[in-house]
Amino acid sequence: MGRVFFCPANMRKGSNVTTGKKFEAVDSKVDFIALEHSILGLWKDRDVVNRYLHRNDGASKKFPFMDGPITANNPMGVHHAWGRSYKDIFLRFRNMQGYAQRFQNGFDGQGLWVEVEVEKEKGFKSKREIESYGIDRFVEDCKARVQMFSERISEQSKRLGYFMDWDNSYQTMSDENNYTIWLFLKRCADNGWLYEGEDVMPWCPRCGTGLSQQEIVTEGYQEIVHPGFFLKFPLLEREGESLLVWTTTPWTLVANVAAAVNKENDYVLVENTYTVNREERTEKIWLGAQRLHVLKGEHTVMETVKGSELAGWRYRGPFDEVPAQSKAKDAHRVLEWEDVGEEEGTGIVHIAPGAGAEDFRLGKENGLPIIAPLDDSGVYMTGFGFLDGRPVSEVNDDIFDDLKRKNVFYKVEKYKHRYPICWRCGTELVFRLVNEWFISMDELRPRLMEATRKMNWIPPFGEAREIDWLRNMGDWMISKKRYWGLALPIWKCADCGKFEVIGSDDELKVRAIEGWDAFAGNSPHRPWIDNVKIQCSGCGSTVSRIPDVGNAWLDAGIVSFSTLGYRHDRSNWEKWYPAKWISESFPGQFRNWFYSLITMSVALEGQPPAENVFSYALMRDEKGEEMHKSKGNAIWFEEAAEKMGVDVMRWVYSRHNPASNLNFGYGPGDDVRRQFLIPLWNIFSFFTTYAALDGWTVEQSLLNQKAGTPPSDELTELDRWIISETNLLIERVTEYMEGWRIEYAAQAIEQYVDGLSNWYVRLSRRRFWKSENDGDKIAAYSALHYCLTTLTRLIAPFMPFVSEQMWQQLTVGHDKNAPDSVHLADWPEADKSLIDEQLSRQTQLAIKLASLGRSARSQSRLKVRQPLAELLVEVRHDWEREALPVIERQLSDELNVKGVRDVTGKGGLLSYEVKPELRSLGPKYGKQLGDIRRLLGEADGAEIARLSESGQQIQLGEFTLEPGEVLVERRAAEGYAVATDGGYTAAVSTEVTPELRAEGIAREIVHIVQNLRKTAGLEISHRINLGIEAEGEIADALRTYTMYLIQETLASSFQLNYRVAGGTEETHDLDGGKVTVSLRRA
RNA sequence: GGGCCCGUAGCUCAGCUGGUUAGAGCGCUACUCUGAUAAAGUAGAGGUCGGAAGUUCGAGUCUUCCCGGGCCCA
């Protein structure tokens, strides 16, 4: 090694920046949760959050984040904390790198979810109750709820260590947000994309509103058991024959218009004999050829035809007598429909275009009449006979009886399937014919796809998911027949039918012909906005707003415009749009926020709203099961924060692969605390304890630029190694974080900490412990301090609390240029000149050989305290042989041997004993086995072992043995204990000479004294008076190693065969005799 | 029916563009070591990398098909 001058770039801030401040010892025991609270106080006292938010205000490079609004309807759970940790971590990382950023948090507050909670609070069960309570009061209650939970979530987020501009969060319920959506909707109308349509929609009878496609798919399906009704449709032109149909929604039978078959499939006519009420009955029934097993009783197949033969047949419907059927009953016939399958039911499908989404489409294609049976509360309208005025949920039994009476009932059996339910109240949905407002997607769809492909999706399969959604989705239904939400700015003339979209508050004021004064001063919500009337530009009539409110994803989708002053402050908007990145959980957001954000951005500006989309999966409990309040396995944020600690929580999140579900709980938290956080803390505690003891200060650091820069030979190989590793770590973590591979970054840090703890510190302990303040000791302090201060900044984004504590004690006041919070510090930059790949590989080799050496020692049954003469190693590569002298010291220290010898290629560490494998050789060779046994004994065991293990045949005199026909046993060569793995071998000589034995005894005694010091409650720095009573070889050893004993145990005085009066004492029975140790603080 | 993801040790998962003998943590047992460590080390196991075929000098990794699980759409 040449003389290299050390001066790490990240410490090169100028001369004389250090102070003579001493370190304060840190206890190895720590209460992380108390620490977190004290750090929260420190941040407050020093105004750290504010200074953090504005530290890059003047920066030329920027990295704008656009926050997806969190629903302000409930307190935050640990699953929210997961997503918010990602946001905070990447924001902190970029902030340390010096990018200007946006720190605006968002709250989502309009929509049915809030209404449902307020209804629960008030005990409302229907829309009528809301209206009699007063829409204005109800809306105010919704606003208040959102306000309350916004504050609650803000407080929780602060506890999480989430640094945001909390006083400046945006609200989707704000006037600005709503009016910006008006602008968007007007643009849609101008482009001809906005229309009012009739459709059959999934409908919640309790909430009295339709649900959009997006809403159903999230949590919208449940396994439900329904009655599967089988019934007969008698055919008009084929006397005595019936179609057998099946339905799980008997309430739709009254709206039946047609029956459908698949023209490709086979259908059969059967003569079916079965018993009803002890009476035998025979009927002719048509059904799918693959569905015969649904029949009761006996059957005989009479005829088989393709479905196309059935098309056009007319039948009598089950409810032809009710008035509402008057327009349909003569039209009942069989249709062809390719979607009819053979997997369930009878192969013949009942079609009710007014009560099913697919039915509606089929009806339109075939020009069928539509019968719509239900009102908006799920109650039958008039014209449906005995069903009139009855709620849909109660009619199954009566329909059942009625069909029996009409003799068209065949049978009923339970049927379990996935059925849509209301995602907020759990009510089973029905399908209803309604008028709703839509944004047409035909023109937008290709543009949305193009924008989606331009974005960088993390994980990459997100793009495919979004594209798949865009390909399959229908038009966007944006209306909702509710109260609390965006007031759709659509005024539709009752007289001429013309509708107009108002694009802003100013425009409305100009157009208003009445009601403006009643509205002015209120937010643009119901009921106040509904006062405002305009004049129809078509016919001049006075026009009211439609009563509908908007889909909540409009609210969240507009934020890339509304939060940036798109309407009034273009330059600000231009500065921050489009976002550099956004982040949400992916399972729901492809069709929700990602979708609406892209749609609105493309519609208004023709470009993607963000460059990068970082998304993540779902949280489960630690057993992998879904978390549910009712199941009792949900974890509240506050509880987790105070029990597990926020740093631990955040590290659990950080080290996890975001693309897969996270099994979260106290078990995994505990693992992180024990395996990562405590070892990390212990290094910190170790450093401060000894630095305080020795009075070492940063002024003395070899890694600061000072007059006479120290040459590298002050630093050991070990120091240079850990400094190299530190710079490698900086490189890696930076690269991973820039590539959004947060879990790689966290795992790299974990590996580094493990190496720092279990190799660097472990092997350096003696350097700190020895009493003289020499160059080697100063080098050790310098290296370790450098590592810790660098590491502190690398972990700051992930664990803001513990990193802050470490920064305060390692840097603040020691380095004059250091900011008073780690979160105001710069992200470290790697100094490539300090990275030594060769040294890295060499040390890896040392770690591997040490592991083998420990294994060998453990087989020798000799304690590591017993010094041994030498370690013999075999390695595989030339560079490894050359590296051995470099790592010799590390190995001999770690394994307590006097020297390391390279025996690569020399053999001899192992001897092999080969025996015949009798089970296979016996039957094969019979009596010749004796010869084989003899020949094997004479042969070269090592050579046979080699052949056998490389799968080659073995020539043994006249015999040729297969590789599996010998058994190889390894023995260590005489006088050695051996361990081998993957071509590497380590052996220790097991011979203990009298000299080695004496040294071993001395070390044993030191060990006993050290333990006794602990027992006596002495601190590390206390000096003692020591007395030992012993005889024979123990006494001899102590005489030889008196100086060693005194140094190691900090003894001011030592006397052999003496008992320290009034001290602590212990007697031990050693191999060489009894020994009594007594000591007392000097 | 279409799209996406997943299948590696008892459990939870790593394994990046194909490359020596597939790893970690947890869990179990035994032993060792310890004046930083509530730790650590060593050993014992435990795997036909879901299955089959193919491409290749070489496949956990690429291709195809199949099986199983999950999510989404229809």
Side-chain angles (χ1 to χ4, degrees):
Chain A
M1 294 296 132
R3 284 166 69 93
V4 179
F5 292 83
F6 272 82
C7 180
N10 32 24
M11 299 288 285
R12 203 182 289 148
K13 286 208 151 176
S15 51
N16 301 320
V17 296
T18 57
T19 67
K21 184 177 167 178
K22 298 202 169 143
F23 289 92
E24 209 175 294
V26 171
D27 199 323
S28 66
K29 313 257 185 294
V30 56
D31 177 348
F32 287 114
I33 290 155
L35 181 146
E36 289 174 2
H37 285 284
S38 91
I39 295 293
L40 285 169
L42 179 144
W43 288 339
K44 201 170 181 187
D45 293 346
R46 299 188 190 169
D47 197 24
V48 168
V49 179
N50 229 356
R51 292 158 65 206
Y52 163 90
L53 298 179
H54 295 289
R55 84 183 277 266
N56 301 323
D57 278 355
S60 55
K61 53 181 187 176
K62 61 190 181 189
F63 211 84
F65 168 64
M66 182 71 242
D67 188 32
I70 184 172
T71 309
N73 191 34
N74 277 302
M76 165 178 131
V78 286
H79 58 295
H80 295 110
W82 184 20
R84 289 165 97 69
S85 294
Y86 282 135
K87 292 176 180 178
D88 188 49
I89 290 165
F90 284 111
L91 283 167
R92 285 175 183 274
F93 167 62
R94 295 296 180 173
N95 218 39
M96 290 176 84
Q97 281 192 324
Y99 289 89
Q101 299 184 102
R102 292 186 72 213
F103 294 97
Q104 190 179 30
N105 171 81
F107 290 112
D108 203 8
Q110 291 180 161
L112 181 56
W113 44 53
V114 181
E115 289 192 48
V116 168
E117 292 299 326
V118 173
E119 281 181 86
K120 269 193 221 162
E121 278 172 24
K122 302 280 173 198
F124 296 160
K125 297 240 166 0
S126 72
K127 288 167 82 172
R128 265 191 306 280
E129 286 174 84
I130 296 172
E131 293 187 7
S132 60
Y133 175 72
I135 295 176
D136 53 347
R137 288 170 70 196
F138 184 72
V139 163
E140 292 297 357
D141 289 346
C142 289
K143 284 186 188 173
R145 181 179 176 89
V146 170
Q147 200 52 51
M148 176 179 81
F149 281 109
S150 298
E151 282 159 24
R152 175 84 183 275
I153 292 170
S154 297
E155 287 313 308
Q156 291 181 300
S157 302
K158 290 177 194 170
R159 176 65 184 89
L160 179 65
Y162 192 11
F163 278 12
M164 287 294 249
D165 189 0
W166 293 111
D167 298 331
N168 186 30
S169 293
Y170 71 79
Q171 287 282 359
T172 60
M173 67 181 180
S174 68
D175 293 4
E176 186 59 26
N177 209 64
N178 282 312
Y179 289 131
T180 313
I181 301 170
W182 286 23
L183 174 78
F184 161 78
L185 290 173
K186 177 148 182 115
R187 191 74 60 87
C188 289
D190 291 347
N191 287 326
W193 297 333
L194 192 71
Y195 71 94
E196 185 181 25
E198 188 180 60
D199 199 358
V200 169
M201 303 292 308
W203 187 273
C204 175
R206 193 215 71 90
C207 298
T209 184
L211 283 91
S212 69
Q213 228 177 324
Q214 291 97 315
E215 289 170 302
I216 297 200
V217 285
T218 315
E219 303 153 30
Y221 286 90
Q222 217 169 55
E223 291 269 311
I224 294 179
V225 176
H226 278 125
F229 274 54
F230 291 81
L231 69 158
K232 293 169 292 185
F233 287 179
L235 290 164
L236 295 183
E237 283 90 13
R238 299 177 73 103
E239 192 62 36
E241 296 177 15
S242 300
L243 304 171
L244 189 65
V245 299
W246 172 78
T247 181
T248 56
T249 50
W251 64 269
T252 63
L253 287 170
V254 73
N256 174 268
V257 170
V261 296
N262 190 316
K263 63 177 179 185
E264 308 287 338
N265 296 345
D266 287 332
Y267 288 83
V268 296
L269 177 68
V270 297
E271 195 164 73
N272 185 207
T273 304
Y274 58 92
T275 312
V276 175
N277 298 333
R278 296 185 194 143
E279 181 187 318
E280 194 159 272
R281 185 184 289 183
T282 300
E283 289 175 327
K284 288 183 180 165
I285 289 174
W286 284 94
L287 77 165
Q290 303 299 316
R291 305 301 303 166
L292 291 172
H293 55 272
V294 306
L295 292 171
K296 309 188 281 186
E298 308 288 321
H299 68 265
T300 322
V301 175
M302 319 276 292
E303 200 180 336
T304 304
V305 298
K306 287 286 174 196
S308 50
E309 295 284 317
L310 276 62
W313 292 359
R314 300 195 305 134
Y315 65 89
R316 181 159 49 80
F319 286 93
D320 282 359
E321 73 283 3
V322 303
Q325 274 283 350
S326 59
K327 58 181 171 181
K329 65 182 180 190
D330 296 329
H332 292 330
R333 61 192 161 98
V334 178
L335 301 174
E336 291 176 357
W337 189 22
E338 59 194 12
D339 285 5
V340 175
E342 295 182 313
E343 291 79 37
E344 57 185 20
T346 66
I348 304 175
V349 177
H350 134 73
I351 302 293
E358 292 88 25
D359 304 40
F360 180 75
R361 268 192 291 281
L362 183 70
K364 270 199 151 173
E365 285 166 20
N366 288 280
L368 298 179
I370 295 170
I371 300 171
L374 300 180
D375 75 2
D376 66 1
S377 307
V379 170
Y380 281 93
M381 297 189 278
T382 54
F384 294 90
F386 70 93
L387 297 168
D388 285 4
R390 300 185 56 192
V392 65
S393 56
E394 304 176 352
V395 296
N396 276 359
D397 289 345
D398 291 347
I399 290 175
F400 177 90
D401 291 339
D402 187 59
L403 295 174
K404 273 193 164 167
R405 210 160 35 240
K406 291 172 178 163
N407 199 24
V408 294
F409 176 81
Y410 185 77
K411 71 168 182 177
V412 62
E413 30 182 63
K414 284 181 179 159
Y415 181 72
K416 191 167 153 189
H417 61 157
R418 285 176 80 228
Y419 190 82
I421 56 163
C422 177
W423 55 283
R424 278 296 138 183
C425 66
T427 306
E428 288 183 28
L429 300 183
V430 295
F431 285 82
R432 244 196 110 223
L433 185 72
V434 288
N435 284 333
E436 298 286 0
W437 291 84
F438 296 87
I439 297 173
S440 165
M441 284 294 149
D442 292 342
E443 280 181 38
L444 276 168
R445 184 178 285 109
R447 301 186 209 173
L448 298 181
M449 287 182 163
E450 192 194 333
T452 298
R453 292 198 180 96
K454 277 189 194 153
M455 296 161 80
N456 176 36
W457 295 81
I458 306 127
F461 62 77
E463 180 182 316
R465 290 241 180 138
E466 188 65 47
I467 292 287
D468 185 50
W469 163 255
L470 292 173
R471 189 177 290 131
N472 287 303
M473 67 173 193
D475 289 346
W476 186 3
M477 188 187 90
I478 55 163
S479 58
K480 220 171 218 337
K481 301 195 168 7
R482 293 292 304 188
Y483 309 101
W484 169 234
L486 167 83
L488 286 174
I490 302 170
W491 272 255
K492 185 185 169 191
C493 178
D495 294 333
C496 73
K498 176 170 183 167
F499 75 84
E500 295 183 67
V501 175
I502 302 297
S504 70
D505 39 352
D506 294 340
E507 186 185 343
L508 182 62
K509 189 172 182 181
V510 172
R511 292 290 306 273
I513 54 170
E514 63 180 72
W516 180 265
D517 292 342
F519 163 64
N522 286 297
S523 66
H525 289 109
R526 296 184 71 186
W528 308 288
I529 189 73
D530 293 331
N531 292 316
V532 185
K533 316 287 181 195
I534 66 170
Q535 189 168 41
C536 178
S537 64
C539 69
S541 300
T542 299
V543 181
S544 299
R545 195 187 70 85
I546 61 168
D548 302 31
V549 296
N551 175 284
W553 293 108
L554 289 168
D555 304 345
I558 199 67
V559 297
S560 16
F561 299 94
S562 58
T563 65
L564 290 168
Y566 185 67
R567 298 198 313 152
H568 305 296
D569 184 2
R570 265 312 157 105
S571 69
N572 184 59
W573 174 78
E574 276 162 9
K575 181 177 174 195
W576 297 111
Y577 173 92
K580 196 79 181 176
W581 67 292
I582 58 177
S583 169
E584 292 301 323
S585 164
F586 57 63
Q589 300 303 335
F590 291 112
R591 59 195 161 265
N592 292 333
W593 191 56
F594 296 159
Y595 165 68
S596 64
L597 198 71
I598 294 169
T599 302
M600 294 170 104
S601 182
V602 167
L604 286 174
E605 289 295 327
Q607 60 170 316
E611 216 172 287
N612 297 287
V613 184
F614 177 85
S615 58
Y616 48 93
L618 291 173
M619 183 179 282
R620 296 286 161 83
D621 75 5
E622 55 187 277
K623 290 182 201 136
E625 288 169 28
E626 283 184 47
M627 284 187 173
H628 287 297
K629 280 183 231 173
S630 54
K631 227 160 125 187
N633 63 348
I635 299 176
W636 295 111
F637 172 75
E638 278 89 350
E639 180 195 304
E642 300 314 321
K643 226 163 126 178
M644 166 188 297
V646 163
D647 277 335
V648 167
M649 194 190 301
R650 292 173 62 123
W651 194 258
V652 170
Y653 300 148
S654 301
R655 69 197 300 280
H656 178 76
N657 174 3
S660 62
N661 288 342
L662 169 60
N663 296 350
F664 182 82
Y666 292 107
D670 211 44
D671 289 348
V672 159
R673 204 191 75 244
R674 284 189 300 117
Q675 281 168 43
F676 178 59
L677 212 49
I678 286 177
L680 172 68
W681 185 268
N682 281 321
I683 302 169
F684 169 55
S685 158
F686 172 84
F687 171 82
T688 54
T689 301
Y690 283 97
L693 208 63
D694 279 329
W696 186 83
T697 66
V698 180
E699 259 182 336
Q700 301 171 55
S701 175
L702 303 181
L703 297 170
N704 275 304
Q705 189 175 39
K706 288 194 296 187
T709 305
S712 70
D713 53 12
E714 299 255 2
L715 297 168
T716 62
E717 292 294 329
L718 200 58
D719 296 330
R720 296 204 312 105
W721 170 73
I722 197 65
I723 289 164
S724 167
E725 291 295 316
T726 305
N727 283 278
L728 260 176
L729 181 71
I730 297 171
E731 262 190 2
R732 286 188 187 140
V733 173
T734 307
E735 191 190 319
Y736 290 144
M737 290 300 283
E738 287 176 349
W740 308 95
R741 302 304 304 262
I742 182 173
E743 80 280 24
Y744 283 21
Q747 281 160 25
I749 291 170
E750 285 186 3
Q751 274 172 29
Y752 171 84
V753 169
D754 185 65
L756 183 61
S757 173
N758 288 323
W759 195 252
Y760 181 77
V761 174
R762 183 183 166 93
L763 291 192
S764 301
R765 272 179 301 184
R766 284 192 53 77
R767 301 167 68 195
F768 293 94
W769 173 235
K770 65 188 176 188
S771 37
E772 65 275 29
N773 246 331
D774 62 2
D776 179 54
K777 187 177 203 170
I778 286 167
Y781 278 119
S782 306
L784 188 52
H785 182 259
Y786 169 75
C787 293
L788 283 171
T789 52
T790 306
L791 180 62
T792 301
R793 281 173 293 162
L794 291 176
I795 62 174
F798 305 90
M799 300 194 296
F801 296 94
V802 73
S803 58
E804 183 71 285
Q805 182 66 36
M806 289 171 67
W807 184 258
Q808 293 304 322
Q809 295 191 249
L810 293 170
T811 310
V812 176
H814 299 277
D815 175 350
K816 284 182 196 162
N817 282 344
D820 61 346
S821 164
V822 71
H823 304 299
L824 304 174
D826 291 339
W827 185 253
E829 276 178 41
D831 183 341
K832 283 194 197 302
S833 70
L834 298 178
I835 295 174
D836 185 339
E837 307 264 2
Q838 189 191 9
L839 183 56
S840 214
R841 282 196 301 274
Q842 289 171 346
T843 307
Q844 280 308 311
L845 178 68
I847 291 171
K848 169 142 196 100
L849 292 175
S851 164
L852 282 173
R854 279 191 292 260
S855 173
R857 285 209 67 126
S858 119
Q859 283 165 43
S860 75
R861 320 295 298 171
L862 292 166
K863 293 184 172 185
V864 176
R865 273 196 296 277
Q866 174 60 58
L868 295 174
E870 60 177 358
L871 172 76
L872 277 56
V873 296
E874 283 183 1
V875 294
R876 295 178 47 158
H877 303 289
D878 285 344
W879 71 262
E880 291 171 332
R881 303 188 63 175
E882 285 155 22
L884 287 174
V886 180
I887 59 176
E888 172 168 359
R889 181 172 155 196
Q890 293 178 28
L891 286 173
S892 49
D893 282 358
E894 176 61 14
L895 296 170
N896 195 16
V897 292
K898 298 296 174 195
V900 176
R901 188 148 61 95
D902 176 16
V903 294
T904 305
K906 297 198 175 77
L909 281 185
L910 294 172
S911 67
Y912 298 88
E913 193 162 338
V914 269
K915 294 176 180 169
E917 217 285 295
L918 295 172
R919 192 175 300 165
S920 50
L921 288 176
K924 199 165 167 184
Y925 293 101
K927 286 179 184 166
Q928 293 175 303
L929 214 53
D931 292 338
I932 293 175
R933 200 190 288 266
R934 183 178 50 77
L935 286 166
L936 268 179
E938 290 166 2
D940 176 357
E943 174 62 10
I944 290 181
R946 191 186 65 75
L947 290 170
S948 168
E949 286 176 2
S950 58
Q952 299 179 52
Q953 289 183 332
I954 300 152
Q955 275 303 326
L956 201 62
E958 59 191 290
F959 304 103
T960 304
L961 303 187
E962 297 303 318
E965 290 174 344
V966 292
L967 292 172
V968 177
E969 281 180 16
R970 285 155 206 281
R971 298 258 164 92
E974 190 71 21
Y976 290 93
V978 181
T980 180
D981 177 53
Y984 295 88
T985 304
V988 286
S989 59
T990 51
E991 189 192 351
V992 180
T993 61
E995 292 77 23
L996 291 172
R997 182 171 169 86
E999 191 181 340
I1001 289 169
R1003 293 185 65 145
E1004 184 71 29
I1005 302 291
V1006 167
H1007 173 65
I1008 290 169
V1009 174
Q1010 302 291 34
N1011 280 335
L1012 193 59
R1013 283 179 59 112
K1014 252 200 234 177
T1015 311
L1018 300 185
E1019 291 189 9
I1020 294 169
S1021 57
H1022 289 159
R1023 306 193 77 86
I1024 55 168
N1025 297 317
L1026 177 65
I1028 297 178
E1029 294 168 277
E1031 294 178 339
E1033 62 171 348
I1034 297 177
D1036 290 344
L1038 288 176
R1039 275 188 277 273
T1040 312
Y1041 287 99
T1042 303
M1043 281 315 291
Y1044 168 75
L1045 176 68
I1046 286 172
Q1047 271 176 16
E1048 290 294 312
T1049 62
L1050 284 187
S1052 301
S1053 71
F1054 165 60
Q1055 246 182 302
L1056 193 58
N1057 289 329
Y1058 172 77
R1059 195 169 292 208
V1060 177
T1064 311
E1065 60 179 70
E1066 254 176 27
T1067 300
H1068 289 259
D1069 214 350
L1070 298 187
D1071 197 19
K1074 267 194 170 40
V1075 59
T1076 300
V1077 179
S1078 55
L1079 61 81
R1080 198 177 165 184
R1081 187 175 168 187

